[in-house]
Amino acid sequence: MDDLPTNKTAEMDALRALMRGGRQVRADTAGALRPEMFYHFPAVARAALRIQAQGDKPDPETVASESGAEGAVMKIAQRTTPPANGPRYARAVEEAWVQRTYFQRLSQFAGEALEGQDVKALRDEVERFALQMSRATAEGDPTPISEIVPDALEMIRKEEEAQGVPGIPTGFDKLDDLTGGWKDATLNIIAARTSQGKTALTLRTCLEAAKAGHPVLYVSLEMGRKQLTRRLIAQEAKVRGQPDSKYRPEEREKIERATERFQSLPFYIEDSGGMDAYDVMSEARRMKSSAGVELVAVDYHQNMKPLSGHDQRYEWIGESARLLKKLAKDEEIAVLLVSQVGRSAERRSNKRPQLSDLRQAGEDDADRVITIYRPEEYGITTDEMGNSTEGKAEITVAKHRNGPTGYFDLAFVEKSADFQPLESHRTTPNGTPNDHPF
């Protein structure tokens, strides 16, 4: 197409810099280029960049021989632009390529829309293209550590001066002690088998975050917003979640007080069914922009809609986790991803979830993995030390990319499907599990 965005002059000058420039100029110029960025001289670019990548100098004679484009190479070599400006010419070539790529792909998307392509499939295709271009055009060279140190020291200073928890408070002091709260740019997996309290724990920690003034987006892929809100009310009011009879007057009074507190709570629930990772990313970005959301919870991972192009279950589950990790980093928010542990955990004598149970469920991309284990749900009435397990939940920070692991007990309050603190906190001085029976 004659009207495609191109920059023939920049292509010639960038290629001349590769042929005539010094070692550093050639390295800097080549580092910003790829053969597909060239519209007018693709064969010359492929040859020059290949020779440069092999550690040789792409002089005009060699490039002409390998590309078979002697006339074009001669014309390029005869230009008088200074090779030292090669990186600037390369950026101009890249800009034209980006414009051209967007023009071509968006035209394609427009044609597919006019032909009546499924809206969801089209949206996924557009989102995937946007992510690919974002990665392809990421700016900046690797940064010398000397330039990063001041920012790292400032981060340390702010954490030391912070009143209370450095990150978003989890609502549980012992979990805050181990993790420092939910921190920006982190993916945190909350994992357990069925009926262990994954949603209850996630709701409680999100509720506490919102009460502390940190806007929360709760993406529910299982329960509707009314049911979730009812559970939140039960937790906050400390009343029966599913009463077998009418609420007593004192319970109704607690409910009214709880709902009054909810009126100004920055807690948002998205319960649209059939959401995939791209849907979650779009909604989270929108809510970050409009409501300043700092914490996003996705409940739960395996209920997300499979991503198109991924036939195997483990593929789309893994890719979904990677996309949510990217969301956390790009938007500088904390993401909680509720994940169901596979049946392999129940084949063990103590039924405790392990990291290996999440090997294909995003564990590699997670900054933290927190597991829940309630032994009484399996008919186990005492622990390894002979203590009663009634009403107890073992919370384990099984993975912590930038800090200690450890475990402690919480009380699980059956009537309100809620977690509350217990006194025991069993970790060694260095933060590793103390006699943890893994």
Side-chain angles (χ1 to χ4, degrees), residues 194-206:
T194 57
S195 303
Q196 293 288 297
K198 298 184 296 294
T199 295
L201 183 65
T202 308
L203 282 174
R204 168 52 69 183
T205 191
C206 287

Side-chain angles (χ1 to χ4, degrees), residues 68-126:
E70 184 175 347
V73 172
M74 184 178 300
K75 187 176 180 180
I76 291 169
Q78 289 174 346
R79 292 182 63 79
T80 59
T81 48
N85 291 333
R88 180 162 62 85
Y89 306 142
R91 284 193 296 273
V93 171
E94 182 189 40
E95 287 175 3
W97 169 73
V98 170
Q99 293 168 347
R100 189 165 62 251
T101 303
Y102 272 112
F103 183 90
Q104 292 172 318
R105 290 303 303 277
L106 293 178
S107 297
Q108 176 188 338
F109 295 146
E112 291 173 354
L114 289 172
E115 292 171 2
Q117 179 171 328
D118 177 71
V119 172
K120 182 68 169 55
L122 183 59
R123 196 289 319 277
D124 287 352
E125 197 176 348
V126 172

Side-chain angles (χ1 to χ4, degrees), residues 78-307:
Q78 289 174 346
R79 292 182 63 79
T80 59
T81 48
N85 291 333
R88 180 162 62 85
Y89 306 142
R91 284 193 296 273
V93 171
E94 182 189 40
E95 287 175 3
W97 169 73
V98 170
Q99 293 168 347
R100 189 165 62 251
T101 303
Y102 272 112
F103 183 90
Q104 292 172 318
R105 290 303 303 277
L106 293 178
S107 297
Q108 176 188 338
F109 295 146
E112 291 173 354
L114 289 172
E115 292 171 2
Q117 179 171 328
D118 177 71
V119 172
K120 182 68 169 55
L122 183 59
R123 196 289 319 277
D124 287 352
E125 197 176 348
V126 172
E127 284 271 7
R128 191 175 297 108
F129 169 65
L131 284 172
Q132 290 170 348
M133 292 302 292
S134 175
R135 292 168 182 154
T137 59
E139 295 183 358
D141 296 323
T143 308
I145 192 170
S146 59
E147 296 180 17
I148 306 172
V149 165
D151 291 336
L153 289 175
E154 179 66 13
M155 181 186 296
I156 293 171
R157 184 188 66 78
K158 286 182 178 179
E159 290 186 356
E160 289 179 337
E161 294 178 355
Q163 298 296 318
V165 183
I168 298 172
T170 67
F172 303 102
D173 290 343
K174 293 169 184 177
L175 186 55
D176 286 339
D177 290 343
L178 284 169
T179 64
W182 308 123
K183 295 183 178 178
D184 292 349
T186 61
L187 174 63
N188 308 269
I189 291 180
I190 296 177
R193 277 296 292 152
T194 57
S195 303
Q196 293 288 297
K198 298 184 296 294
T199 295
L201 183 65
T202 308
L203 282 174
R204 168 52 69 183
T205 191
C206 287
L207 179 58
E208 294 302 318
K211 287 163 65 176
H214 302 277
V216 172
L217 172 63
Y218 197 101
V219 179
S220 176
L221 303 173
E222 187 172 35
M223 285 189 285
R225 59 183 180 274
K226 292 180 182 179
Q227 187 178 3
L228 279 173
T229 302
R230 181 169 182 165
R231 290 189 64 166
L232 285 166
I233 291 172
Q235 287 188 343
E236 183 66 5
K238 295 180 173 56
V239 298
R240 293 167 293 161
Q242 297 291 336
D244 51 9
S245 61
K246 290 183 177 181
Y247 285 119
R248 297 185 297 273
E250 60 270 22
E251 289 179 313
R252 287 197 170 277
E253 186 177 340
K254 291 179 180 179
I255 290 172
E256 289 176 7
R257 287 200 299 268
T259 53
E260 285 175 5
R261 290 192 292 272
F262 284 2
Q263 297 305 310
S264 58
L265 207 63
F267 196 117
Y268 306 90
I269 297 175
E270 169 59 70
D271 66 346
S272 299
M275 296 180 74
D276 62 19
Y278 292 117
D279 293 318
V280 174
M281 293 173 76
S282 296
E283 186 63 18
R285 286 173 175 147
R286 187 180 72 82
M287 292 301 295
K288 171 69 183 294
S289 176
S290 64
V293 159
E294 300 175 30
L295 178 65
V296 173
V298 181
D299 184 6
Y300 63 96
H301 193 179
Q302 288 77 6
N303 262 8
M304 297 180 79
K305 185 177 179 180
L307 295 166

